[in-house]
Amino acid sequence: MTAVALDADSRPDVTRLLVRQEDEDEYVVGDPATGRFVVVPEAGARLIELLAAGHTVAEVADLLEQELGEPVDVLDFVEMLVEAGIIDGTAAVAAGRTEADQAGDADKPDEPKKKVKYWVVSKIPPWVVKPLFGKVAWTFYVGCLVATLVMFVLDHSLLPSYEDAFVVTDIVLSLLITNVVVMGLAVVHEIWHAFAGAAAGVRAQLRLERRGIFTVLETDLTGLWALPPAKRYSPFLAGMAFDAVILFAAVAPRFAYSRGWIDLSPNLVRFLAMLVLSQVGKLAFQTLAYLRTDMYLVMATATGCKNLHQVTRLSLKRLIRKLTPLEQRILRDADAKDLRVARWYRLLYLAGIVWMVWFAFNFILPAAKVTLGWASGVMVGAPVFSFYWWEGILLIVFALVNLTMPLVVVVRNRIRARRAAA
């Protein structure tokens, strides 16, 4: 991490760190500016307090030994914070060196520092977006969801089908419309998370990730872990709240149309049906806690778990194959709450996998079959290089990109992991 190793005389710069008690004997420590946090015991929180007072690593070790009655490896703890990206290793070393040592570095070029880029949306002042997540707003969000469920019960024809993805008879144009709308709503879904984070004073970053067989946009709100649990729920649920409003706005006109209360054009009815399919799919996806979706974060916060997903996955994995030494250590050192909740959460995990397989066979594969079949038929029947021939080519490329995108994200993440390790 640095050109000079940390030593007993170092004075790590921990002045920007936030320390908040999470549980009876656990504290959350991190830098709100970078969104990186770790959970440490009470002794770790006291250690940071002493470092912030200006003591060296050696002085903190002596003070803690006097207070606790046993030696504490302060240097190892500081190195752990550096590796986790909580504190800057270069600053930690420089703080412990003499003025003469630092003066000798005056002619050396500065090492590049990794800067955290925050999404512009997340820089909105809290007072601007707070009304969107107050009691009145949440009453409206919940009311939209409840009203939609009532309409589904009263009229089952409003429930979505994979055929609703095709808005017009021209498949290429239909898929273009559907995907532009779906991607646009997905971006606003994430913006709503960022709005809720901004209302809570937390900045966000947008990134492309994978959840099972799905490629997703994700808003990184790591800074929420610096807040009390009760203040995390609104940002976690904000995206689903937006989806519930759009779903209601799509179902209500069709419900009124089915009862003859209003008149709608056939094209608008099909467009609204496509919106229903999109939003139902999104809301159903968020309930798949095993994919670390919004509801997983809600559940993990409510149960006080720290690493529930990995603990559950490893507890199931060891039933079918031997764990690596690192995986065994993670499971052995897991928090008691994670182990306790994992006993029943693993059932949800397995049920989620079953649902994902069902969804793939009933929605993704049928839609891909229709798309690829139609494209192949067009390419065979149309003259080469004609408009319809190119339309078939575009459809095949489009379908293959959608089917392989999760694999692309997996490869990208592995490449990044290897570079980080190097």
Side-chain angles (χ1 to χ4, degrees):
M1 294 288 295
T2 61
V4 182
L6 286 162
D7 56 32
D9 294 325
S10 299
R11 285 189 173 87
D13 182 10
V14 298
T15 54
R16 293 191 304 174
L17 297 190
L18 179 147
V19 180
R20 184 184 60 78
Q21 187 169 4
E22 175 77 4
D23 210 336
E24 184 177 350
D25 57 350
E26 291 183 342
Y27 290 75
V28 172
V29 174
D31 185 352
T34 63
R36 295 179 179 272
F37 296 87
V38 293
V39 177
V40 301
E42 185 176 3
R46 174 59 177 158
L47 185 154
I48 293 173
E49 181 183 354
L50 293 172
L51 288 174
H55 296 290
T56 66
V57 169
E59 291 170 346
V60 172
D62 292 338
L63 291 171
L64 284 178
E65 185 172 2
Q66 294 175 15
E67 294 179 8
L68 303 176
E70 58 182 357
V72 176
D73 193 340
V74 177
L75 183 59
D76 181 69
F77 182 85
V78 173
E79 290 176 342
M80 180 272 292
L81 293 180
V82 172
E83 292 177 2
I86 305 299
I87 61 177
D88 179 63
T90 305
V93 173
R97 302 169 69 196
T98 65
E99 293 182 3
D101 291 333
Q102 296 180 44
D105 293 336
D107 297 330
K108 297 179 181 180
D110 294 334
E111 294 183 10
K113 295 182 179 180
K114 183 179 179 180
K115 295 182 179 180
V116 178
K117 296 181 180 179
Y118 291 106
W119 198 14
V120 175
V121 173
S122 67
K123 297 181 181 180
I124 295 177
W127 64 268
V128 174
V129 289
K130 273 189 176 180
L132 297 174
F133 307 99
K135 291 182 179 179
V136 174
W138 278 107
T139 300
F140 174 70
Y141 297 146
V142 174
C144 286
L145 182 59
V146 171
T148 300
L149 294 176
V150 170
M151 288 185 285
F152 278 152
V153 171
L154 295 177
D155 189 346
H156 293 175
S157 67
L158 299 176
L159 293 172
S161 164
Y162 81 88
E163 296 175 344
D164 295 332
F166 304 99
V167 181
V168 294
T169 54
D170 188 315
I171 295 184
V172 174
L173 179 59
S174 183
L175 290 179
L176 178 63
I177 294 173
T178 298
N179 279 270
V180 168
V181 171
V182 168
M183 288 189 290
L185 291 175
V187 171
V188 181
H189 171 106
E190 299 305 324
I191 288 176
W192 226 251
H193 280 300
F195 279 165
V202 175
R203 290 181 173 182
Q205 292 175 280
L206 187 66
R207 61 192 181 193
L208 187 67
E209 282 297 338
R210 178 187 65 88
R211 292 290 181 267
I213 61 174
F214 307 102
T215 304
V216 298
L217 284 173
E218 180 180 80
T219 304
D220 184 357
L221 288 167
T222 311
L224 288 176
W225 300 107
L227 303 178
K231 293 186 177 181
R232 302 173 195 165
Y233 294 114
S234 181
F236 288 156
L237 293 170
M240 296 181 68
F242 169 78
D243 291 337
V245 173
I246 299 300
L247 179 60
F248 173 79
V251 172
R254 291 182 64 214
F255 181 79
Y257 173 74
S258 67
R259 276 158 173 67
W261 300 341
I262 61 174
D263 186 28
L264 299 175
S265 68
N267 287 337
L268 180 56
V269 172
R270 287 194 293 269
F271 181 80
L272 292 175
M274 179 270 292
L275 283 181
V276 172
L277 173 63
S278 167
Q279 299 310 103
V280 168
K282 288 180 183 177
L283 287 170
F285 175 81
Q286 297 301 340
T287 64
L288 301 180
Y290 81 102
L291 289 177
R292 292 167 292 152
T293 57
D294 297 346
M295 288 305 298
Y296 167 77
L297 296 173
V298 170
M299 185 180 67
T301 299
T303 56
C305 292
K306 306 297 186 301
N307 192 24
L308 177 61
H309 178 80
Q310 188 175 32
V311 169
T312 300
R313 184 177 62 82
L314 293 180
S315 66
L316 289 172
K317 183 179 178 180
R318 69 179 177 183
L319 298 178
I320 57 177
R321 59 180 294 186
K322 185 177 181 181
L323 300 179
T324 65
L326 176 60
E327 292 172 334
Q328 292 175 1
R329 182 172 62 83
I330 292 174
L331 205 55
R332 183 182 66 248
D333 299 338
D335 186 272
K337 290 181 180 178
D338 289 316
L339 294 172
R340 183 171 62 253
V341 175
R343 294 170 186 167
W344 57 263
Y345 174 67
R346 69 182 68 178
L347 299 177
L348 292 179
Y349 190 99
L350 293 173
I353 293 177
V354 172
W355 182 90
M356 185 170 64
V357 172
W358 175 87
F359 185 86
F361 277 98
N362 286 273
F363 284 87
I364 296 179
L365 292 181
K369 181 179 179 180
V370 170
T371 302
L372 292 175
W374 188 89
S376 299
V378 168
M379 289 184 63
V380 171
V384 178
F385 301 127
S386 67
F387 173 80
Y388 290 108
W389 187 87
W390 281 113
E391 194 173 60
I393 290 290
L394 288 175
L395 270 179
I396 291 176
V397 171
F398 175 82
L400 293 178
V401 167
N402 277 273
L403 290 173
T404 59
M405 185 58 70
L407 179 60
V408 173
V409 176
V410 169
V411 173
R412 182 207 65 181
N413 289 347
R414 290 187 177 180
I415 292 174
R416 287 181 177 178
R418 289 176 182 175
R419 288 177 178 175

